[in-house]
Amino acid sequence: MKQIDGVGKLTEKQLSYIRDADKRWNFKVGATRSGKTFVDIRHVIPKQIRIRTGLPGLTCIMGVTVGSIERNILAPMREVYGEEMVHKVDGWNMCKLFNETVYVIGAEKNAQMAKLRGASFKYVYGDEVAEWGREVFELLKSRLDKPYSRFDGTCNPEGPGHWLKGFLDKSAAFVQYFHIDDNPYLNSGFVAELKKEYEGTVYYGRYIEGRWTAADGMVYPKFGKENIIDRIDEKYERYVISVDYGIQNATVMLLFGCKDGKWVAIDEFYHSGRESGMACTDEEYYDKLCKLTKRNNCGIDCIIIDPSAASFIQLIRKKGEYAVKRADNEIIAGIRNTASALSLGQVKIHIKCRRLLNEIVQYAWDGNESTEKPKKENDHACDALRYFVRTMRII
């Protein structure tokens, strides 16, 4: 068995999980990179699968998607145990782990519930459980029906009103909480950078301290003058436009330039049919798009567009002048990525982008702990910024 990253010794917290987690439901909750999954890959999953070999019931690994399971769990396990013990997932979403057939299921959508109906599970491992669809988890609860059935899972905490926290508070589950400093093997410089990345945001409490913290107040509370520039370079290396599209709602186009790996929002277009009393057609918006590029004398790598703007996307593709990408519209993950990009200086905003600057300092959470989301106001330019960061994988 190989070592991972030169680490051969478990922490006391990891050892205590191996020793004390003996309930039907067992969870590790806490900070990113705090060692939660590491102990599962090396010890928990192999042990729990092997001791149930030959017993009735199915074995399953569940995560947000099959791809995330491969990335977070199976590929690292293959590094430890080799391909003979950890096979690749086949076309039926099954693989062999330690000579046991294991089902691999993505749990982010309720459509996955059909794969659970009628099944009886003896062992389930859950990755990123707080990001699952609640209905999937509720159905799974009735499927762990053997006297020896067991669930081990990990997650980063979300808001205090999250359904998973409600389950953990009311159940007899074994729950262990992790702070980022619980992992002594992380490079101190990396830890300092990660703390800086989330400082001043709701994500510091969640991804550094491992707490279920509420999202309230401003979405980007640390945004300030260090995020704003007042000069534009003669020539950027790359240009991308990100579009939040509306008919009566506002349409925003943000032009980004990249130099030395850093991006700057250098210009913007804004039009609201509701505010102006006059809606624009797709052809008129296309003309505005062309004018935005021409006045900045730049070639565009691609146009990132709100995926709901089907007619505008079709028009741009028909014109054939620009490449188009449908935006990754993941809201919470996109906000988290954008907060990190701003904090680390990966994205800055030129002072001429007045609409974006005006919105970003007013962009606020709605304060509802059970349906965590930003308010639907002062958000169109912020949405275009989020599309850009998330789709371009800036962080």
Side-chain angles (χ1 to χ4, degrees), residues 310-334:
S311 62
F312 192 42
I313 291 172
Q314 183 178 14
L315 174 65
I316 295 174
R317 286 177 171 164
K318 184 177 180 181
K319 297 284 187 180
E321 188 172 355
Y322 303 107
V324 178
K325 284 187 178 181
R326 291 180 181 269
D328 183 334
N329 192 22
E330 187 69 34
I331 297 174
I332 300 302

PDB file of all heavy atoms in Angstrom, residues 310-334:
ATOM      1  N   ALA A 310     -31.766  31.458 -24.592  1.00  0.00           N
ATOM      2  CA  ALA A 310     -31.650  30.545 -25.732  1.00  0.00           C
ATOM      3  C   ALA A 310     -31.683  31.269 -27.074  1.00  0.00           C
ATOM      4  O   ALA A 310     -30.888  30.973 -27.978  1.00  0.00           O
ATOM      5  CB  ALA A 310     -32.758  29.505 -25.671  1.00  0.00           C
ATOM      6  N   SER A 311     -32.578  32.235 -27.224  1.00  0.00           N
ATOM      7  CA  SER A 311     -32.712  32.908 -28.516  1.00  0.00           C
ATOM      8  C   SER A 311     -31.482  33.764 -28.829  1.00  0.00           C
ATOM      9  O   SER A 311     -31.029  33.829 -29.980  1.00  0.00           O
ATOM     10  CB  SER A 311     -33.967  33.783 -28.532  1.00  0.00           C
ATOM     11  OG  SER A 311     -33.894  34.797 -27.538  1.00  0.00           O
ATOM     12  N   PHE A 312     -30.923  34.406 -27.814  1.00  0.00           N
ATOM     13  CA  PHE A 312     -29.742  35.246 -28.026  1.00  0.00           C
ATOM     14  C   PHE A 312     -28.521  34.376 -28.335  1.00  0.00           C
ATOM     15  O   PHE A 312     -27.712  34.725 -29.207  1.00  0.00           O
ATOM     16  CB  PHE A 312     -29.500  36.112 -26.790  1.00  0.00           C
ATOM     17  CG  PHE A 312     -28.496  37.215 -26.997  1.00  0.00           C
ATOM     18  CD1 PHE A 312     -28.491  37.977 -28.159  1.00  0.00           C
ATOM     19  CD2 PHE A 312     -27.552  37.506 -26.032  1.00  0.00           C
ATOM     20  CE1 PHE A 312     -27.573  39.001 -28.353  1.00  0.00           C
ATOM     21  CE2 PHE A 312     -26.623  38.522 -26.204  1.00  0.00           C
ATOM     22  CZ  PHE A 312     -26.638  39.273 -27.376  1.00  0.00           C
ATOM     23  N   ILE A 313     -28.401  33.261 -27.639  1.00  0.00           N
ATOM     24  CA  ILE A 313     -27.299  32.327 -27.929  1.00  0.00           C
ATOM     25  C   ILE A 313     -27.391  31.827 -29.366  1.00  0.00           C
ATOM     26  O   ILE A 313     -26.397  31.783 -30.099  1.00  0.00           O
ATOM     27  CB  ILE A 313     -27.338  31.144 -26.941  1.00  0.00           C
ATOM     28  CG1 ILE A 313     -26.962  31.619 -25.532  1.00  0.00           C
ATOM     29  CG2 ILE A 313     -26.401  30.016 -27.384  1.00  0.00           C
ATOM     30  CD1 ILE A 313     -27.165  30.571 -24.455  1.00  0.00           C
ATOM     31  N   GLN A 314     -28.608  31.472 -29.795  1.00  0.00           N
ATOM     32  CA  GLN A 314     -28.805  30.983 -31.162  1.00  0.00           C
ATOM     33  C   GLN A 314     -28.435  32.046 -32.185  1.00  0.00           C
ATOM     34  O   GLN A 314     -27.805  31.757 -33.212  1.00  0.00           O
ATOM     35  CB  GLN A 314     -30.254  30.547 -31.350  1.00  0.00           C
ATOM     36  CG  GLN A 314     -30.550  29.945 -32.719  1.00  0.00           C
ATOM     37  CD  GLN A 314     -31.992  29.483 -32.843  1.00  0.00           C
ATOM     38  OE1 GLN A 314     -32.848  29.825 -32.014  1.00  0.00           O
ATOM     39  NE2 GLN A 314     -32.284  28.700 -33.855  1.00  0.00           N
ATOM     40  N   LEU A 315     -28.811  33.308 -31.899  1.00  0.00           N
ATOM     41  CA  LEU A 315     -28.496  34.395 -32.828  1.00  0.00           C
ATOM     42  C   LEU A 315     -26.982  34.581 -32.960  1.00  0.00           C
ATOM     43  O   LEU A 315     -26.460  34.712 -34.078  1.00  0.00           O
ATOM     44  CB  LEU A 315     -29.146  35.692 -32.346  1.00  0.00           C
ATOM     45  CG  LEU A 315     -28.787  36.956 -33.154  1.00  0.00           C
ATOM     46  CD1 LEU A 315     -29.308  36.860 -34.573  1.00  0.00           C
ATOM     47  CD2 LEU A 315     -29.317  38.205 -32.463  1.00  0.00           C
ATOM     48  N   ILE A 316     -26.273  34.613 -31.853  1.00  0.00           N
ATOM     49  CA  ILE A 316     -24.827  34.813 -31.898  1.00  0.00           C
ATOM     50  C   ILE A 316     -24.148  33.681 -32.668  1.00  0.00           C
ATOM     51  O   ILE A 316     -23.242  33.915 -33.487  1.00  0.00           O
ATOM     52  CB  ILE A 316     -24.247  34.920 -30.476  1.00  0.00           C
ATOM     53  CG1 ILE A 316     -24.792  36.165 -29.782  1.00  0.00           C
ATOM     54  CG2 ILE A 316     -22.716  34.980 -30.514  1.00  0.00           C
ATOM     55  CD1 ILE A 316     -24.400  36.285 -28.324  1.00  0.00           C
ATOM     56  N   ARG A 317     -24.597  32.464 -32.436  1.00  0.00           N
ATOM     57  CA  ARG A 317     -24.013  31.329 -33.166  1.00  0.00           C
ATOM     58  C   ARG A 317     -24.309  31.415 -34.649  1.00  0.00           C
ATOM     59  O   ARG A 317     -23.474  31.081 -35.493  1.00  0.00           O
ATOM     60  CB  ARG A 317     -24.535  30.021 -32.578  1.00  0.00           C
ATOM     61  CG  ARG A 317     -23.899  29.695 -31.226  1.00  0.00           C
ATOM     62  CD  ARG A 317     -24.463  28.438 -30.611  1.00  0.00           C
ATOM     63  NE  ARG A 317     -23.688  28.060 -29.426  1.00  0.00           N
ATOM     64  CZ  ARG A 317     -24.084  27.200 -28.510  1.00  0.00           C
ATOM     65  NH1 ARG A 317     -25.281  26.614 -28.644  1.00  0.00           N
ATOM     66  NH2 ARG A 317     -23.315  26.916 -27.472  1.00  0.00           N
ATOM     67  N   LYS A 318     -25.500  31.882 -34.982  1.00  0.00           N
ATOM     68  CA  LYS A 318     -25.877  32.029 -36.393  1.00  0.00           C
ATOM     69  C   LYS A 318     -25.021  33.084 -37.077  1.00  0.00           C
ATOM     70  O   LYS A 318     -24.612  32.919 -38.239  1.00  0.00           O
ATOM     71  CB  LYS A 318     -27.357  32.393 -36.493  1.00  0.00           C
ATOM     72  CG  LYS A 318     -27.870  32.481 -37.926  1.00  0.00           C
ATOM     73  CD  LYS A 318     -29.365  32.780 -37.941  1.00  0.00           C
ATOM     74  CE  LYS A 318     -29.879  32.870 -39.375  1.00  0.00           C
ATOM     75  NZ  LYS A 318     -31.347  33.179 -39.402  1.00  0.00           N
ATOM     76  N   LYS A 319     -24.706  34.162 -36.377  1.00  0.00           N
ATOM     77  CA  LYS A 319     -23.865  35.215 -36.948  1.00  0.00           C
ATOM     78  C   LYS A 319     -22.456  34.689 -37.208  1.00  0.00           C
ATOM     79  O   LYS A 319     -21.783  35.127 -38.155  1.00  0.00           O
ATOM     80  CB  LYS A 319     -23.797  36.407 -35.995  1.00  0.00           C
ATOM     81  CG  LYS A 319     -25.121  37.107 -35.740  1.00  0.00           C
ATOM     82  CD  LYS A 319     -25.547  37.977 -36.901  1.00  0.00           C
ATOM     83  CE  LYS A 319     -26.786  38.793 -36.536  1.00  0.00           C
ATOM     84  NZ  LYS A 319     -27.229  39.653 -37.671  1.00  0.00           N
ATOM     85  N   GLY A 320     -21.963  33.812 -36.346  1.00  0.00           N
ATOM     86  CA  GLY A 320     -20.676  33.159 -36.585  1.00  0.00           C
ATOM     87  C   GLY A 320     -19.445  33.986 -36.264  1.00  0.00           C
ATOM     88  O   GLY A 320     -18.324  33.556 -36.560  1.00  0.00           O
ATOM     89  N   GLU A 321     -19.602  35.150 -35.647  1.00  0.00           N
ATOM     90  CA  GLU A 321     -18.458  36.016 -35.366  1.00  0.00           C
ATOM     91  C   GLU A 321     -17.803  35.697 -34.028  1.00  0.00           C
ATOM     92  O   GLU A 321     -16.602  35.901 -33.855  1.00  0.00           O
ATOM     93  CB  GLU A 321     -18.905  37.478 -35.394  1.00  0.00           C
ATOM     94  CG  GLU A 321     -17.751  38.464 -35.303  1.00  0.00           C
ATOM     95  CD  GLU A 321     -18.204  39.908 -35.525  1.00  0.00           C
ATOM     96  OE1 GLU A 321     -19.401  40.123 -35.841  1.00  0.00           O
ATOM     97  OE2 GLU A 321     -17.362  40.814 -35.393  1.00  0.00           O
ATOM     98  N   TYR A 322     -18.590  35.181 -33.075  1.00  0.00           N
ATOM     99  CA  TYR A 322     -18.078  34.925 -31.741  1.00  0.00           C
ATOM    100  C   TYR A 322     -18.367  33.487 -31.316  1.00  0.00           C
ATOM    101  O   TYR A 322     -19.427  32.937 -31.627  1.00  0.00           O
ATOM    102  CB  TYR A 322     -18.733  35.862 -30.704  1.00  0.00           C
ATOM    103  CG  TYR A 322     -18.569  37.327 -30.991  1.00  0.00           C
ATOM    104  CD1 TYR A 322     -19.649  38.090 -31.447  1.00  0.00           C
ATOM    105  CD2 TYR A 322     -17.344  37.963 -30.797  1.00  0.00           C
ATOM    106  CE1 TYR A 322     -19.514  39.450 -31.695  1.00  0.00           C
ATOM    107  CE2 TYR A 322     -17.197  39.322 -31.041  1.00  0.00           C
ATOM    108  CZ  TYR A 322     -18.282  40.060 -31.495  1.00  0.00           C
ATOM    109  OH  TYR A 322     -18.144  41.398 -31.739  1.00  0.00           O
ATOM    110  N   ALA A 323     -17.431  32.909 -30.573  1.00  0.00           N
ATOM    111  CA  ALA A 323     -17.682  31.624 -29.928  1.00  0.00           C
ATOM    112  C   ALA A 323     -18.516  31.859 -28.677  1.00  0.00           C
ATOM    113  O   ALA A 323     -18.366  32.880 -27.998  1.00  0.00           O
ATOM    114  CB  ALA A 323     -16.361  30.954 -29.552  1.00  0.00           C
ATOM    115  N   VAL A 324     -19.412  30.932 -28.384  1.00  0.00           N
ATOM    116  CA  VAL A 324     -20.337  31.092 -27.265  1.00  0.00           C
ATOM    117  C   VAL A 324     -20.170  29.934 -26.283  1.00  0.00           C
ATOM    118  O   VAL A 324     -20.032  28.777 -26.677  1.00  0.00           O
ATOM    119  CB  VAL A 324     -21.802  31.131 -27.756  1.00  0.00           C
ATOM    120  CG1 VAL A 324     -22.762  31.243 -26.568  1.00  0.00           C
ATOM    121  CG2 VAL A 324     -22.016  32.282 -28.707  1.00  0.00           C
ATOM    122  N   LYS A 325     -20.197  30.263 -24.976  1.00  0.00           N
ATOM    123  CA  LYS A 325     -20.263  29.261 -23.910  1.00  0.00           C
ATOM    124  C   LYS A 325     -21.492  29.536 -23.066  1.00  0.00           C
ATOM    125  O   LYS A 325     -21.731  30.678 -22.669  1.00  0.00           O
ATOM    126  CB  LYS A 325     -19.023  29.335 -23.010  1.00  0.00           C
ATOM    127  CG  LYS A 325     -17.766  28.741 -23.583  1.00  0.00           C
ATOM    128  CD  LYS A 325     -16.666  28.734 -22.526  1.00  0.00           C
ATOM    129  CE  LYS A 325     -15.398  28.104 -23.064  1.00  0.00           C
ATOM    130  NZ  LYS A 325     -14.323  28.064 -22.015  1.00  0.00           N
ATOM    131  N   ARG A 326     -22.252  28.499 -22.801  1.00  0.00           N
ATOM    132  CA  ARG A 326     -23.345  28.637 -21.840  1.00  0.00           C
ATOM    133  C   ARG A 326     -22.747  28.760 -20.442  1.00  0.00           C
ATOM    134  O   ARG A 326     -21.893  27.966 -20.054  1.00  0.00           O
ATOM    135  CB  ARG A 326     -24.291  27.446 -21.919  1.00  0.00           C
ATOM    136  CG  ARG A 326     -25.097  27.396 -23.217  1.00  0.00           C
ATOM    137  CD  ARG A 326     -26.025  26.191 -23.220  1.00  0.00           C
ATOM    138  NE  ARG A 326     -26.773  26.128 -24.457  1.00  0.00           N
ATOM    139  CZ  ARG A 326     -27.971  26.683 -24.663  1.00  0.00           C
ATOM    140  NH1 ARG A 326     -28.551  27.332 -23.660  1.00  0.00           N
ATOM    141  NH2 ARG A 326     -28.582  26.583 -25.814  1.00  0.00           N
ATOM    142  N   ALA A 327     -23.199  29.737 -19.695  1.00  0.00           N
ATOM    143  CA  ALA A 327     -22.621  29.996 -18.375  1.00  0.00           C
ATOM    144  C   ALA A 327     -22.927  28.867 -17.404  1.00  0.00           C
ATOM    145  O   ALA A 327     -24.004  28.266 -17.435  1.00  0.00           O
ATOM    146  CB  ALA A 327     -23.166  31.312 -17.817  1.00  0.00           C
ATOM    147  N   ASP A 328     -21.963  28.583 -16.549  1.00  0.00           N
ATOM    148  CA  ASP A 328     -22.200  27.727 -15.400  1.00  0.00           C
ATOM    149  C   ASP A 328     -22.958  28.568 -14.376  1.00  0.00           C
ATOM    150  O   ASP A 328     -22.408  29.497 -13.794  1.00  0.00           O
ATOM    151  CB  ASP A 328     -20.862  27.247 -14.824  1.00  0.00           C
ATOM    152  CG  ASP A 328     -21.024  26.275 -13.664  1.00  0.00           C
ATOM    153  OD1 ASP A 328     -22.064  26.333 -12.984  1.00  0.00           O
ATOM    154  OD2 ASP A 328     -20.093  25.478 -13.417  1.00  0.00           O
ATOM    155  N   ASN A 329     -24.210  28.238 -14.159  1.00  0.00           N
ATOM    156  CA  ASN A 329     -25.097  29.077 -13.352  1.00  0.00           C
ATOM    157  C   ASN A 329     -25.274  28.536 -11.931  1.00  0.00           C
ATOM    158  O   ASN A 329     -26.304  28.749 -11.303  1.00  0.00           O
ATOM    159  CB  ASN A 329     -26.461  29.214 -14.039  1.00  0.00           C
ATOM    160  CG  ASN A 329     -27.322  30.291 -13.402  1.00  0.00           C
ATOM    161  OD1 ASN A 329     -26.815  31.195 -12.742  1.00  0.00           O
ATOM    162  ND2 ASN A 329     -28.626  30.191 -13.578  1.00  0.00           N
ATOM    163  N   GLU A 330     -24.279  27.837 -11.408  1.00  0.00           N
ATOM    164  CA  GLU A 330     -24.331  27.349 -10.033  1.00  0.00           C
ATOM    165  C   GLU A 330     -24.206  28.553  -9.097  1.00  0.00           C
ATOM    166  O   GLU A 330     -23.151  29.197  -9.046  1.00  0.00           O
ATOM    167  CB  GLU A 330     -23.207  26.357  -9.782  1.00  0.00           C
ATOM    168  CG  GLU A 330     -23.256  25.669  -8.453  1.00  0.00           C
ATOM    169  CD  GLU A 330     -24.420  24.710  -8.332  1.00  0.00           C
ATOM    170  OE1 GLU A 330     -24.793  24.077  -9.350  1.00  0.00           O
ATOM    171  OE2 GLU A 330     -24.967  24.607  -7.225  1.00  0.00           O
ATOM    172  N   ILE A 331     -25.258  28.867  -8.359  1.00  0.00           N
ATOM    173  CA  ILE A 331     -25.304  30.143  -7.641  1.00  0.00           C
ATOM    174  C   ILE A 331     -24.366  30.167  -6.434  1.00  0.00           C
ATOM    175  O   ILE A 331     -23.476  31.017  -6.343  1.00  0.00           O
ATOM    176  CB  ILE A 331     -26.748  30.474  -7.209  1.00  0.00           C
ATOM    177  CG1 ILE A 331     -27.636  30.658  -8.447  1.00  0.00           C
ATOM    178  CG2 ILE A 331     -26.773  31.760  -6.364  1.00  0.00           C
ATOM    179  CD1 ILE A 331     -29.110  30.850  -8.113  1.00  0.00           C
ATOM    180  N   ILE A 332     -24.561  29.246  -5.494  1.00  0.00           N
ATOM    181  CA  ILE A 332     -23.801  29.306  -4.249  1.00  0.00           C
ATOM    182  C   ILE A 332     -22.324  29.027  -4.495  1.00  0.00           C
ATOM    183  O   ILE A 332     -21.446  29.752  -4.003  1.00  0.00           O
ATOM    184  CB  ILE A 332     -24.375  28.333  -3.201  1.00  0.00           C
ATOM    185  CG1 ILE A 332     -25.840  28.697  -2.898  1.00  0.00           C
ATOM    186  CG2 ILE A 332     -23.549  28.375  -1.925  1.00  0.00           C
ATOM    187  CD1 ILE A 332     -26.038  30.112  -2.402  1.00  0.00           C
ATOM    188  N   ALA A 333     -22.031  27.995  -5.283  1.00  0.00           N
ATOM    189  CA  ALA A 333     -20.628  27.709  -5.604  1.00  0.00           C
ATOM    190  C   ALA A 333     -20.016  28.865  -6.388  1.00  0.00           C
ATOM    191  O   ALA A 333     -18.852  29.214  -6.198  1.00  0.00           O
ATOM    192  CB  ALA A 333     -20.517  26.408  -6.394  1.00  0.00           C
ATOM    193  N   GLY A 334     -20.800  29.486  -7.270  1.00  0.00           N
ATOM    194  CA  GLY A 334     -20.300  30.619  -8.048  1.00  0.00           C
ATOM    195  C   GLY A 334     -19.996  31.821  -7.174  1.00  0.00           C
ATOM    196  O   GLY A 334     -18.996  32.522  -7.382  1.00  0.00           O
TER     197      GLY A 334
END
